[in-house]
Amino acid sequence: MAFWSNHDINPKLKSRFTVRIGEGDVLINVKSVDKPTFTIDTKTYTLINHKFKYPGIPVWEPITITFVDPVVDGDGQSTEATLYNMITDTGYIEPTKTTHMVGKESTYITTPSKASTAANSFYSAFAQSNSGGFGGTIKISQLNQGGSPRDIWTLHGPIIKSVSFGDLAYADDELVEYKLVVDYDYATYKKL
């Protein structure tokens, strides 16, 4: 008997997931997200006529989060504005600006200052007015059939690698998709 015909088995479905920045609210505008990928670099050593392979340094590969923009006109902040705020919160300053939220009057933010504020995009962009920020993590939860988390991946030390604000076309009535590529230090897994 195949497992999918057994009513006692609840397989994991791709459509049952949530994404959170730290301990904040579930992001309702996420269309899809990559789960973490772990790779190990291999080293090859030659001894006389033989080649031997050894594991090298492990690397957690970047993930991509795809967003849509469900905002109602005049109600709340759009996904596009939130992603742009994440970019500026990391220390980016437009070349025509002379001040920035991180520093005082200056021409540009310095490289060390920018590096030290890289986590700000995941602290302040999604922060609610009643909280002090969410912390530098992203949590990806897979849900069971009742909507409760069954597995949680936590990405530690996330930083923005790239942001795509989508494309537009007259011949297309699909939702605009925004892609956020996130790099991170490491990921942890918890089974509930």
Side-chain angles (χ1 to χ4, degrees):
M1 172 191 278
F3 80 87
W4 52 81
S5 62
N6 184 341
H7 296 291
D8 296 330
I9 294 178
N10 179 19
K12 295 179 181 180
L13 300 180
K14 285 182 159 189
S15 61
R16 294 183 187 155
F17 72 94
T18 61
V19 177
R20 295 177 189 267
I21 303 296
E23 299 301 322
D25 294 330
V26 170
L27 302 177
I28 61 167
N29 55 348
V30 174
K31 180 180 179 184
S32 65
V33 63
D34 296 334
K35 289 172 61 174
T37 300
F38 181 82
T39 59
I40 297 178
D41 185 26
T42 56
K43 306 290 182 188
T44 303
Y45 297 99
T46 304
L47 295 174
I48 307 177
N49 292 334
H50 299 283
K51 292 193 180 274
F52 296 94
K53 295 184 179 165
Y54 294 93
I57 299 172
V59 176
W60 289 94
E61 300 295 334
I63 65 160
T64 301
I65 304 174
T66 303
F67 296 90
V68 293
D69 213 340
V71 72
V72 178
D73 289 341
D75 181 30
Q77 189 173 26
S78 71
T79 300
E80 194 162 7
T82 300
L83 290 173
Y84 187 76
N85 288 342
M86 289 178 75
I87 292 169
T88 59
D89 287 350
T90 64
Y92 172 75
I93 183 170
E94 296 172 14
T96 58
K97 304 278 182 173
T98 57
T99 60
H100 190 271
M101 65 167 274
V102 178
K104 307 274 190 230
E105 290 283 331
S106 64
T107 321
Y108 298 100
I109 189 167
T110 63
T111 302
S113 298
K114 185 173 182 177
S116 69
T117 61
N120 284 345
S121 59
F122 293 98
Y123 277 91
S124 59
F126 292 96
Q128 306 295 320
S129 58
N130 59 353
S131 68
F134 293 129
T137 61
I138 295 175
K139 293 186 179 184
I140 303 167
S141 301
Q142 283 192 253
L143 308 176
N144 62 21
Q145 64 187 4
S148 299
R150 68 186 321 169
D151 302 305
I152 299 175
W153 279 99
T154 303
L155 283 54
H156 301 272
I159 59 171
I160 295 173
K161 185 166 183 174
S162 70
V163 177
S164 168
F165 291 100
D167 59 353
L168 305 172
Y170 285 115
D172 195 348
D173 285 336
E174 296 294 320
L175 295 173
V176 174
E177 293 183 353
Y178 306 89
K179 294 193 184 290
L180 173 66
V181 179
V182 177
D183 214 344
Y184 52 98
D185 296 327
Y186 65 98
T188 54
Y189 171 78
K190 182 177 181 182
K191 181 175 178 13
L192 302 175

